[in-house]
Amino acid sequence: MKNSADISFNLMRVLYTFIEEAKHQYLMDKYLIMNSDEFVTRLLKFRRWQDAQLSLLGRVLLKYGLDHYFDSKDFEIGRTPDYKPYIKNHNLHFNISHAGNLVICCIHESPVGIDVEYINQEADYEEFKFQMTSGELEKIHFSEDKVQSFFTYWTEKEAVIKAHGKGMFIPLDSFEVNHSKAIIENEIFYLKEIYLDKKYQCCIAANEDIREKTIFVKRLNVNFL
């Protein structure tokens, strides 16, 4: 028999998809009306279709996940004083991230953060050294693949900050990730890398130990949304 911690963990869902220009107007026509006026106004200000579709599909993935796995068809999104979005009147947490042509959403019963980054092979980690601890900088500097190591570092730190909930109020160099674990303000967060695509780096953070857990990850095709 599974204990309560296992049951709680098994409710974590991670969904992702890739944007498609050919489906842009179809997605806008179908899903804009399902969102708040404030979100629609913000979405329509984007100049690039890519930015608009990434933001829209983040909400679509959230709706799909709530409908299919948490039996929550009606929901409203609010924001904490630190501007972290949350689901009103539900004991559920979510986080959305996007980079390049990929958007991802994680839903869980406890605080969670997820970050995805497009692996830019031209990136120079030295430009970000002032946002790293000396230990992190040394680890990247002596790694065999410095670009991969840098993006691993970056997604880990961003995921932790997003799980914590205070965003830019927490400097990246104010805490360090060791053995896929980090501590912010006496709160422990655990990290796990998620493989999605060879061009992207992704990491998830939670305030429960997920390092040895199997996370449910599903890719959705925009043709069937």
Side-chain angles (χ1 to χ4, degrees):
M1 181 177 180
K2 295 182 179 180
N3 61 38
S4 59
D6 291 331
I7 293 172
S8 174
F9 176 81
N10 287 338
L11 290 176
M12 181 184 286
R13 293 291 183 265
V14 176
L15 305 168
Y16 73 101
T17 190
F18 290 87
I19 60 174
E20 292 186 20
E21 185 173 9
K23 290 291 181 178
H24 185 63
Q25 194 58 52
Y26 162 77
L27 293 168
M28 294 285 281
D29 292 341
K30 182 175 181 179
Y31 289 108
L32 269 188
I33 59 174
M34 298 182 185
N35 289 279
S36 67
D37 292 341
E38 182 267 338
F39 178 78
V40 172
T41 299
R42 189 167 74 247
L43 197 74
L44 294 177
K45 289 182 179 179
F46 287 118
R47 294 183 178 181
R48 301 171 66 245
W49 72 266
Q50 294 94 329
D51 297 325
Q53 191 175 135
L54 285 167
S55 295
L56 180 62
L57 284 178
R59 292 293 182 92
V60 173
L61 293 177
L62 175 60
K63 175 176 171 52
Y64 181 97
L66 291 173
D67 284 353
H68 286 76
Y69 305 115
F70 296 92
D71 195 27
S72 298
K73 297 186 179 300
D74 297 317
F75 65 94
E76 183 179 355
I77 295 176
R79 289 187 178 272
T80 68
D82 295 314
Y83 302 103
K84 182 178 181 179
Y86 70 95
I87 303 171
K88 293 183 177 180
N89 303 316
H90 284 71
N91 188 29
L92 292 170
H93 299 259
F94 78 96
N95 201 223
I96 295 170
S97 181
H98 55 75
N101 293 323
L102 187 154
V103 57
I104 191 166
C105 174
C106 181
I107 308 171
H108 194 31
E109 286 190 320
S110 59
V112 66
I114 195 164
D115 188 62
V116 63
E117 299 290 341
Y118 176 77
I119 302 175
N120 179 5
Q121 296 296 332
E122 303 300 319
D124 181 3
Y125 75 93
E126 290 279 357
E127 296 179 1
F128 301 88
K129 64 182 180 181
F130 296 110
Q131 300 184 56
M132 304 178 190
T133 67
S134 58
E136 291 164 343
L137 184 61
E138 182 177 0
K139 182 179 178 180
I140 294 172
H141 183 72
F142 289 103
S143 64
E144 293 185 6
D145 188 335
K146 294 180 175 59
V147 172
Q148 183 66 54
S149 182
F150 167 70
F151 280 102
T152 297
Y153 147 81
W154 192 265
T155 55
E156 286 178 338
K157 299 296 278 282
E158 288 289 332
V160 169
I161 285 178
K162 295 173 77 175
H164 182 270
K166 289 191 176 180
M168 297 305 294
F169 295 103
I170 303 293
L172 287 177
D173 63 351
S174 66
F175 66 96
E176 186 166 307
V177 175
N178 286 307
H179 305 294
S180 298
K181 183 172 69 174
I183 302 175
I184 299 181
E185 297 179 349
N186 297 318
E187 187 174 4
I188 301 176
F189 293 93
Y190 301 89
L191 297 114
K192 186 176 181 67
E193 179 180 338
I194 300 175
Y195 179 80
L196 305 172
D197 183 277
K198 64 181 181 180
K199 296 181 180 180
Y200 294 85
Q201 183 71 24
C202 184
C203 185
I204 188 167
N207 61 358
E208 61 186 278
D209 198 344
I210 61 176
R211 292 173 295 181
E212 301 299 324
K213 301 289 187 177
T214 299
I215 296 178
F216 176 91
V217 181
K218 181 176 182 178
R219 176 180 176 177
L220 300 178
N221 190 318
V222 293
N223 292 308
F224 301 103
L225 289 175

